[in-house]
Amino acid sequence: MLWKNWTGNQQSAPISVERPTTEEELVGIVRRAAASGERVKAVGSGHSFTGVALTDGHLIVLDKYSRIVSSDPSKGTVTVQAGIPLHRLNTELDVRGLAMENLGDIAYQTIAGAISTGTHGTGRLLGGLATQVIGLRLVAGDGSLIDCSAETEPALFHAARVGLGALGLISTVTLRCLPAFNLHAVEAPMPVDDVLGSLDETVDGNDHFEFFWFPHTNWALTKRNNRTDRPLFPRSRWREFRDDILVNNIAFGALCRLGRWRPSLIPPLLGKLPPPSGSEYVDKSYEVFVSPRLVRFYEMEYAIPREAAREAFNQVRRYIERSGLVITFPVEMRFAAGDDIPLSMAYGRDTCYIAVHVYQGTHYQQYFEAVEQIMNGYGGRPHWGKLHFQTAETLAARYPEWDRFQAVRARLDPAGRFSNPYLNRVLGPAAGG
Ligand SMILES: Cc1cc2nc3c(=O)[nH]c(=O)nc-3n(C[C@H](O)[C@H](O)[C@H](O)COP(=O)(O)OP(=O)(O)OC[C@H]3O[C@@H](n4cnc5c(N)ncnc54)[C@H](O)[C@@H]3O)c2cc1C
């Protein structure tokens, strides 16, 4: 039996696929694996591009362990089972008058999968999803259950919010949420040099700002989202379908297929196309943050100090222009506040994220390696769920609390029950693994 991730570039053959419905069953799976010396791993929605979720042991799918456990709208807190997908979490929160403070571009991921790799959105004052976590309940490698928060087991809590699945199985997650809010979204094409020329003012002047630059053109699509008290003024169903499905997925997918078949046609074609169209609307926060992604691709994303954003981006741009490579996917830039989570890509510094993508089935090695070289020059930290070529040796010095994370890993999983080749590569082998 083969398990594959969303984009199909990672696969493994687990001994078994388990679908627990209760915490007792979850604990039982780990205990049995511990007794027989086998490995075990929970998987989310398989939306990581790396081998972070692969296992040759027992694979745990949490689609039947995905409910709201409790909520306290007056305190803005909610406790959920680890397998809840973000799209359902968003609507469940909305019913309770709550919302996630920030989200990434999609909502297919599970909450446990998203926090485990450091998933983030954009917003200069906001951290990734893991910064919204205030409590976790984990199953350790020996099958014991541990609750952790800033007050209880703080060292474990500190590390486990971005734990790469290496510290234990997350059973439940407690989140700090905001009262539900609307966002005023303004999407507008701009010459990329103008975007870069006013980058700091734009990032500082908006709650959430990001842009997508289309290689071989001078155009960038900018997205500014700001909290608003204005009433809902969503896009019409037709407009939403046209922008999100027809243009961003169906037409874009056709362009990508053309690029894979005849790359040389892409730069002249892109030069003739009009800039992407803009739009302005007010919608519920989670409707604005996320979009459907039907075109499959490979991605690498690096976190660098915010002050290096413009320079690093220009290096990537110059590389693409000089390399002769044909790139159909945009380069994306986002921002986040520094945080205190040991393996968060934004640990200790206000961060700019630069992401590069290629269409599924396209060679990415040369492009991604070159961009990684550029990011190395800025102490770049790769997204744990997106492709990169780093190892524990190259990464350790980039994370000031690396040793604290490793101490927690040695305590929670001394036998390497949750290890796999990716974790052995990027974290080093577990003590007993
Ligand atoms: C189309 C697309 C868009 C994306 N957009 C963004 C974005 O905007 N921002 C961003 O930062 N990232 C983005 N990503 C990356 C994605 O958010 C991460 O890779 C995320 O980890 C995927 O979540 P998942 O539920 O699919 O987890 P998986 O990929 O299945 O697993 C990720 C990790 O979580 C672990 N895990 C899952 N459940 C548990 C559990 N219960 N206990 C312990 N460990 C567990 C797995 O073992 C694995 O280590 C995107 C990916 C895709 C494919």
Side-chain angles (χ1 to χ4, degrees):
M1 173 196 346
L2 276 186
W3 178 87
K4 280 189 182 177
N5 65 342
W6 173 80
T7 203
N9 66 328
Q10 305 287 346
Q11 60 180 48
S12 61
I15 301 172
S16 73
V17 176
E18 313 280 346
R19 288 197 146 84
T21 56
T22 63
E23 191 170 70
E24 293 68 42
E25 287 175 28
L26 195 59
V27 169
I29 297 164
V30 181
R31 291 218 169 119
R32 283 195 297 281
S36 55
E38 289 161 340
R39 275 188 277 271
V40 60
K41 186 153 283 292
V43 70
S45 307
H47 272 63
S48 295
F49 299 89
T50 59
V52 68
L54 299 183
T55 185
D56 59 2
H58 300 277
L59 185 73
I60 304 182
V61 178
L62 292 170
D63 53 353
K64 295 186 173 143
Y65 190 68
S66 59
R67 290 204 306 272
I68 303 273
V69 177
S70 63
S71 64
D72 185 342
S74 65
K75 289 191 185 145
T77 58
V78 59
T79 298
V80 298
Q81 292 177 331
I84 192 167
L86 296 180
H87 59 84
R88 189 140 53 74
L89 173 65
N90 291 334
T91 50
E92 294 273 7
L93 289 177
D94 192 43
V95 167
R96 292 163 174 80
L98 298 172
M100 294 288 281
E101 184 176 55
N102 202 2
L103 289 165
D105 287 345
I106 57 161
Y108 305 115
Q109 311 97 315
T110 60
I111 187 65
I115 63 170
S116 294
T117 61
T119 295
H120 62 90
T122 191
R124 76 192 198 288
L125 298 177
L126 301 168
L129 271 63
T131 63
Q132 300 171 56
V133 174
I134 55 170
L136 289 169
R137 191 163 159 90
L138 289 130
V139 188
D142 61 359
S144 57
L145 270 170
I146 312 180
D147 285 301
C148 64
S149 66
E151 293 77 37
T152 311
E153 291 272 7
L156 170 58
F157 175 68
H158 199 51
R161 285 170 292 168
V162 179
L164 282 70
L167 303 183
L169 292 187
I170 299 171
S171 171
T172 62
V173 181
T174 302
L175 296 158
R176 167 187 48 79
C177 302
L178 293 182
F181 59 100
N182 294 344
L183 284 173
H184 175 208
V186 179
E187 299 179 3
M190 276 176 75
V192 67
D193 290 310
D194 293 357
V195 178
L196 295 173
S198 56
L199 192 61
D200 284 330
E201 299 86 303
T202 316
V203 173
D204 290 339
N206 291 280
D207 294 338
H208 310 269
F209 172 72
E210 69 185 306
F211 75 87
F212 297 84
W213 168 62
F214 297 86
H216 318 295
T217 80
N218 191 32
W219 287 108
L221 180 64
T222 61
K223 294 191 173 190
R224 298 168 171 79
N225 298 327
N226 288 289
R227 289 187 200 166
T228 181
D229 293 330
R230 287 202 224 171
L232 295 181
F233 183 68
R235 290 174 295 173
S236 67
R237 296 287 284 275
W238 156 245
R239 186 74 201 256
E240 198 175 323
F241 175 75
R242 192 197 72 182
D243 292 353
D244 290 352
I245 305 295
L246 225 47
V247 176
N248 292 344
N249 282 293
I250 296 178
F252 181 59
L255 181 82
C256 291
R257 283 193 297 281
L258 180 69
R260 196 167 61 184
W261 176 58
R262 282 282 177 82
S264 61
L265 295 178
I266 295 300
L269 181 62
L270 286 177
K272 290 197 182 70
L273 288 178
S277 66
S279 60
E280 184 170 352
Y281 54 98
V282 175
D283 211 336
K284 294 182 179 187
S285 56
Y286 61 93
E287 299 283 6
V288 174
F289 285 133
V290 308
S291 326
R293 286 279 194 280
L294 307 179
V295 180
R296 304 209 176 197
F297 55 88
Y298 309 138
E299 179 174 355
M300 180 173 79
E301 184 176 51
Y302 262 87
I304 57 171
R306 180 181 155 179
E307 52 276 16
R310 194 180 297 110
E311 189 181 296
F313 176 84
N314 276 329
Q315 284 208 51
V316 173
R317 194 173 159 197
R318 276 197 296 276
Y319 169 75
I320 294 174
E321 281 160 4
R322 285 184 195 148
S323 67
L325 290 174
V326 171
I327 308 295
T328 48
F329 261 78
V331 176
E332 183 180 13
M333 188 186 280
R334 293 184 277 186
F335 298 87
D339 63 45
D340 65 350
I341 304 175
L343 291 196
S344 160
M345 292 85 78
Y347 178 91
R349 63 190 193 197
D350 288 343
T351 291
C352 162
Y353 286 99
I354 296 182
V356 291
H357 320 68
V358 299
Y359 186 44
Q360 185 188 49
T362 311
H363 295 292
Y364 60 78
Q365 194 96 4
Q366 182 189 343
Y367 180 30
F368 286 9
E369 275 181 357
V371 173
E372 183 166 278
Q373 282 300 319
I374 294 169
M375 300 302 156
N376 282 341
Y378 300 99
R381 298 169 181 156
H383 190 302
W384 299 109
K386 302 186 183 181
L387 295 166
H388 65 93
F389 309 95
Q390 308 286 352
T391 63
E393 287 68 40
T394 59
L395 290 168
R398 300 182 200 193
Y399 287 94
E401 292 202 44
W402 183 265
D403 291 342
R404 285 180 73 179
F405 182 91
Q406 295 290 1
V408 174
R409 186 182 181 208
R411 185 189 136 208
L412 268 275
D413 188 25
R417 185 89 38 238
F418 304 116
S419 260
N420 65 17
Y422 176 78
L423 294 183
N424 290 343
R425 188 188 108 207
V426 300
L427 296 178

